[in-house]
Amino acid sequence: GVWNVVTVLFRQGRADRTETIDPADNARAAFEGARGGEVVTRSTRNGEGSIYFTVATPIEVAGDLVGVVAITSNSQEIDRLVRYEREQILQMFTLAVILSISLSLMLASTISNPLSDLAAAAEMGRDRDTRRVAPSRVRIPDLAARPDEIGRLSVAMRGMVSALYDRIDANEQFAADVAHEIKNPLASLRSAVGSLRFVKKDEHRDKLLDVIEHDVRRLDRLVSDISNASRLDSELVKEEEEEFNLLKTLSNLCQYLSQQAGEKGVDFIIDLPSDAISIHGLEARLAQVFVNLVTNAISFCEDGDAVRVWARRRENRVLIVVEDTGPGIPEQALTKVFKRFYSERPQADFGKHSGLGLAISKQIVEAHGGVIWAENIRPTAADPTSEPLGARFVVGLPV
Ligand SMILES: Nc1ncnc2c1ncn2[C@@H]1O[C@H](COP(=O)(O)OP(=O)(O)O)[C@@H](O)[C@H]1O
Ligand SMILES: [Mg+2]
């Protein structure tokens, strides 16, 4: 029975092969060995040199040999199978390589290249600063049209760069303004000191000394105003905001300023609501704003004029108004008065004012999320050619 199984096996195998050697011979030879209970492997070579492998293994049940299974195969066929598998693997491999190359090319063109363009633009800015005397401005590519994160990144970087340049410009402008402002009193000082050498009369000498003293005071005030203004930004951020009653602050400073008005013969009218107005912010800084506005108003008033300070709360905001019956503000200067160093005053007041008061006030009000503006009081508000009856400064603050 055992032998039948083996021969059937080999007959099937033989049908599709063209061999000159009889694989049954091999099997038979291995079969004899396997009967001894061992696994037998054989290899034989036929006339054409191709090799046959034969394996025979005994089948035992409970120690008794019940049969032997033997298999013979041509080595060329095994090689062919292996080659076929290898070709298959190679094809997959090539496909994978092509796919990953095209994928990375695609990623490079849509992600890597724009990113490295952005990086290059940013780096160029850094290098240029060290190499050139007058660096040109950094230009970040505009990828705002892209709907993805790279588009957002480019928008954010462009925003950041332009904010930085705005800041740099503002600082440069400030430095230039400061230099300009300091030059005037210095020039006056220099000519006074120069003339001092040549004047003989004591009264002339005293006059020149007065001029010098005035210039020095002016410089002193200018420098302290400038240093206050330039520190304001960082100090506004540093100082702790707190809850306080704006009405109390206003009435305190009005009390003290009404004396100043009284000395000049100026009426001082205070009109504040009875209910407390609680505000979250920097009390000392906001007080500085109203002191600036009221002292400006008083300074433009003459004997018989009046200054009025009033405040009202409306829902989520509070309006504080400082009005005077002075000469008003030239129409074209209504916004300019808030610029740094803008000061337009009668000759007698020359040198007593730095022109920083309203600029600082605006900065403080805006840091509190408020607004400040100037307007003229007119008989007919719509007609700017009509003679103003006074100036009005309005501050609006969120409560
Ligand atoms: N109440 C006012 N009436 C008329 N002009 C004013 C008034 N307040 C301010 N101004 C104008 O705004 C300018 C700027 O004011 P400010 O910034 O306080 O600087 P300064 O008081 O040092 O001149 C003043 O020089 C003046 O021309
Ligand atoms: Mg002022």
Side-chain angles (χ1 to χ4, degrees):
V2 172
W3 181 241
N4 275 350
V5 174
V6 174
T7 44
V8 165
L9 258 175
F10 282 125
R11 224 172 267 145
Q12 281 177 343
R14 207 160 22 171
D16 51 6
R17 288 177 204 155
T18 52
E19 289 145 352
T20 55
I21 197 169
D22 182 8
D25 290 343
N26 274 322
R28 227 167 271 126
F31 177 78
E32 290 305 322
R35 277 173 89 161
E38 300 280 304
V39 175
V40 179
T41 55
R42 278 167 61 94
S43 63
T44 46
R45 197 177 287 266
N46 73 356
E48 293 156 6
S50 61
I51 299 170
Y52 287 80
F53 295 106
T54 305
V55 179
T57 178
I59 299 166
E60 289 171 7
V61 177
D64 293 338
L65 185 73
V66 296
V68 173
V69 175
I71 295 171
T72 298
S73 180
N74 187 342
S75 72
Q76 278 176 346
E77 193 176 344
I78 295 174
D79 286 348
R80 207 175 59 223
L81 270 173
V82 170
R83 206 179 307 126
Y84 175 72
E85 293 297 333
R86 279 199 189 136
E87 278 168 8
Q88 206 81 338
I89 290 172
L90 194 73
Q91 272 176 17
M92 296 301 285
F93 180 74
T94 319
L95 203 73
V97 167
I98 290 172
L99 210 75
S100 59
I101 286 177
S102 52
L103 208 67
S104 49
L105 282 178
M106 199 183 81
L107 287 181
S109 68
T110 60
I111 295 177
S112 252
N113 292 350
L115 271 182
S116 70
D117 285 352
L118 285 179
E123 280 163 5
M124 210 156 63
R126 191 189 57 200
D127 290 350
R128 275 184 193 174
D129 274 357
T130 56
R131 272 195 233 127
R132 289 198 198 168
V133 184
S136 57
R137 306 221 140 181
V138 173
R139 272 185 207 293
I140 303 293
D142 187 3
L143 304 177
R146 284 177 68 122
D148 59 359
E149 286 78 6
I150 294 179
R152 268 175 57 198
L153 182 66
S154 124
V155 170
M157 282 176 76
R158 287 170 68 86
M160 191 181 72
V161 167
S162 85
L164 280 174
Y165 276 127
D166 286 351
R167 196 65 195 246
I168 291 170
D169 290 345
N171 280 347
E172 279 175 0
Q173 187 59 48
F174 186 55
D177 291 346
V178 165
H180 180 79
E181 289 302 311
I182 286 179
K183 257 200 166 129
N184 288 336
L186 270 184
S188 155
L189 201 59
R190 199 162 81 191
S191 77
V193 170
S195 328
L196 205 56
R197 289 188 196 285
F198 308 110
V199 290
K200 298 283 182 296
K201 279 193 195 151
D202 272 357
E203 50 176 314
H204 288 162
R205 191 179 288 263
D206 281 352
K207 233 178 210 157
L208 281 173
L209 283 174
D210 281 350
V211 169
I212 289 169
E213 200 187 331
H214 177 256
D215 284 337
V216 167
R217 262 209 227 117
R218 188 177 159 199
L219 273 175
D220 189 32
R221 189 166 31 233
L222 201 58
V223 167
S224 55
D225 280 358
I226 288 166
S227 86
N228 280 339
S230 67
R231 278 203 313 263
L232 189 64
D233 254 346
S234 58
E235 287 189 355
L236 283 178
V237 177
K238 263 188 269 160
E239 285 169 21
E240 280 291 324
E241 295 200 350
E242 53 190 9
E243 208 72 20
F244 68 95
N245 182 2
L246 186 69
L247 283 189
K248 214 165 154 203
T249 316
L250 278 176
S251 60
N252 279 348
L253 65 91
C254 282
Q255 216 160 19
Y256 141 77
L257 288 167
S258 67
Q259 285 177 3
Q260 208 172 305
E263 283 162 20
K264 235 185 140 182
V266 174
D267 274 351
F268 199 87
I269 304 155
I270 307 168
D271 174 9
L272 301 175
S274 44
D275 290 349
I277 300 175
S278 181
I279 266 200
H280 191 72
L282 309 174
E283 182 175 9
R285 294 300 182 174
L286 285 173
Q288 191 183 349
V289 171
F290 299 116
V291 170
N292 276 342
L293 295 182
V294 175
T295 44
N296 274 348
I298 294 173
S299 75
F300 277 93
C301 283
E302 287 165 8
D303 200 350
D305 275 328
V307 172
R308 181 161 76 125
V309 179
W310 64 267
R312 285 293 180 274
R313 184 187 168 163
R314 273 253 170 261
E315 285 150 28
N316 57 349
R317 64 207 129 88
V318 57
L319 220 61
I320 305 104
V321 180
V322 179
E323 302 170 311
D324 63 69
T325 57
I329 303 161
E331 205 64 24
Q332 82 286 351
L334 282 176
T335 54
K336 274 196 264 177
V337 293
F338 294 101
K339 288 225 159 80
R340 274 169 171 162
F341 299 115
Y342 178 89
S343 184
E344 197 62 57
R345 285 174 177 277
Q347 200 57 40
D349 287 339
F350 182 74
K352 285 191 191 147
H353 300 270
S354 61
L356 284 168
L358 287 179
I360 290 174
S361 301
K362 187 173 156 81
Q363 214 177 334
I364 293 171
V365 169
E366 285 176 354
H368 283 83
V371 287
I372 181 170
W373 73 87
E375 58 193 34
N376 281 312
I377 306 170
R378 295 185 183 288
T380 48
D383 177 14
T385 56
S386 60
E387 197 64 28
L389 301 178
R392 177 186 292 135
F393 284 83
V394 185
V395 176
L397 288 171
V399 178

